[in-house]
Amino acid sequence: MGHVEVESIHVHPVKAFRGLSPRKAVVEPWGLAGDRRWALIDHGGKVVTQRDQPRLALAAAEPLAGGGLRLSAPGLPPLTVAVPEPLATVPMDVFGTKVEGVPADPAAHDWCSAFLGHGVRLVHLDDPATRRPVDPVYALPGETVSFADGYPLLVTTVASLDALNSLIAQGPDAHEGPLPMNRFRPNVVVAGTEPWAEDHWTRIAVGEVVFRAPKPSGRCVVTTTDQATAVRGREPLRTLARHRRTGGRLLFGLNLVPLSPGTIRVGDPVRVLG
C-alpha cells in the first residue's frame, strides 16, 4: 500500500440534504462538527430521509455562525433558520431509536413542508453527548451519535469505488455507471489504498485523530438516487448484491467512531493501526 491520504471531507448539516465539502473539519465524539445535527420528521415523529423522499437530495443547507442554517431548494426563496432554544423537545423515531429533538420555528416547518409537498418539521439535536447512543451491539460505553444513520462517521475509498464501477460496467445496468462517490454520502474519502482494503481495518488514524471501525456499512436504496437530479436507478445495489453481500447486507464503506478529538484535513495521511 502506497501513500494513503484523505481525498475529501463531507459534512451534511441537515440529514438527507445535499452535503458540503470543506477542506477541514473538527472531529467531535459524535461525528464531524455540524454533521447531521438537523433532520426532518413527519407528524408521527419518524425521521424523513431520501429512502422515502429522494427529492431531499435537491435541498441544501449552509451552516451559519452560531449553528444556524440558510436553507435553499429549487422553487423556494432561501430561508435563514436560527438554532432553537431547548425550551421543549419533541419525540423522534430515528430508525427505531427514540430520540428527543428541539423543533425549529414554524417558518422552517412551512418551508420544508412546501418543498416536499406534505407536512414535516425541522428538528435540531441540541445535546449530541446524551441524546442518542450508538447501537449497543457495537458501542463502547458512553458513545453517542448525531442524526447520522448509526455511527459518527462513514469512510469510503476511491479504489473501492473504482472497483465497484468496473463491476457495474460488466453488468446489465452498465449505462447507469460510473457512479460518483456522493451516492454513498460519506464523511471521509480516502485515496491510495487497494480496493476493499477498508474491509480489514479495525483502527485507523486520520492525521492525529484515531478512530475505531466497529463494522462495515450496509447500504440501502439511497445509493440508487442520483444526488444531482433525485432520479433513482438500480445501481449500485444490483452489483453490490452480486459481489458484496454478507449476511443479508450489501456492503460499501466502513463506519467509524472517534477515539480522540482533533481536526482532520484534506491531504492528511491515513494510517492503519489494526
Side-chain angles (χ1 to χ4, degrees):
M1 188 165 63
H3 182 63
V4 181
E5 66 178 25
V6 175
E7 180 177 85
S8 59
I9 296 169
H10 305 274
V11 175
H12 306 82
V14 178
K15 184 175 181 64
F17 280 30
R18 183 179 303 159
L20 308 170
S21 300
R23 298 289 297 176
K24 64 180 181 178
V26 173
V27 179
E28 299 175 330
W30 41 82
L32 298 183
D35 186 59
R36 297 173 171 97
R37 289 288 297 275
W38 301 76
L40 299 181
I41 58 173
D42 62 21
H43 286 313
K46 183 180 178 181
V47 70
V48 178
T49 74
Q50 288 187 33
R51 289 166 175 79
D52 302 310
Q53 295 288 339
R55 180 172 166 78
L56 289 173
L58 307 180
E62 175 189 352
L64 303 175
L69 301 173
R70 183 178 184 271
L71 304 179
S72 60
L76 290 174
L79 179 71
T80 297
V81 181
V83 174
E85 292 290 335
L87 302 177
T89 61
V90 294
M92 303 172 57
D93 180 349
V94 185
F95 306 127
T97 301
K98 302 303 180 183
V99 184
E100 294 292 321
V102 181
D105 60 64
H109 304 329
D110 292 345
W111 190 96
C112 295
S113 297
F115 175 62
L116 286 182
H118 65 87
V120 293
R121 289 177 289 173
L122 180 65
V123 180
H124 181 249
L125 183 63
D126 64 319
D127 187 6
T130 63
R131 292 291 190 196
R132 184 179 176 220
V134 172
D135 183 345
V137 175
Y138 298 97
L140 298 179
E143 289 181 339
T144 62
V145 61
S146 67
F147 287 140
D149 278 7
Y151 297 87
L153 285 89
L154 172 68
V155 63
T156 58
T157 68
V158 174
S160 294
L161 180 61
D162 290 344
L164 178 61
N165 277 325
S166 294
L167 294 171
I168 291 172
Q170 300 166 30
D173 297 293
H175 62 282
E176 291 191 21
L179 302 181
M181 190 66 84
N182 66 6
R183 290 291 188 94
F184 301 94
R185 300 179 64 80
N187 293 113
V188 179
V189 179
V190 172
T193 71
E194 295 295 319
W196 316 119
E198 65 274 20
D199 288 352
H200 309 291
W201 299 348
T202 58
R203 290 175 73 244
I204 65 171
V206 179
E208 298 305 315
V209 183
V210 177
F211 301 86
R212 70 179 189 91
K215 63 186 287 291
S217 178
R219 309 317 305 228
C220 70
V221 70
V222 171
T223 60
T224 68
T225 306
D226 186 320
Q227 296 295 300
T229 65
V231 174
R232 283 209 170 130
R234 298 189 179 197
E235 294 292 4
L237 293 187
R238 250 192 163 187
T239 296
L240 290 175
R242 292 197 303 271
H243 299 280
R244 298 280 298 169
R245 183 191 293 272
T246 299
R249 295 182 302 144
L250 310 183
L251 304 182
F252 188 90
L254 187 66
N255 294 301
L256 297 179
V257 179
L259 294 179
S260 64
T263 299
I264 60 173
R265 296 170 174 85
V266 172
D268 272 354
V270 176
R271 295 173 291 128
V272 178
L273 305 178

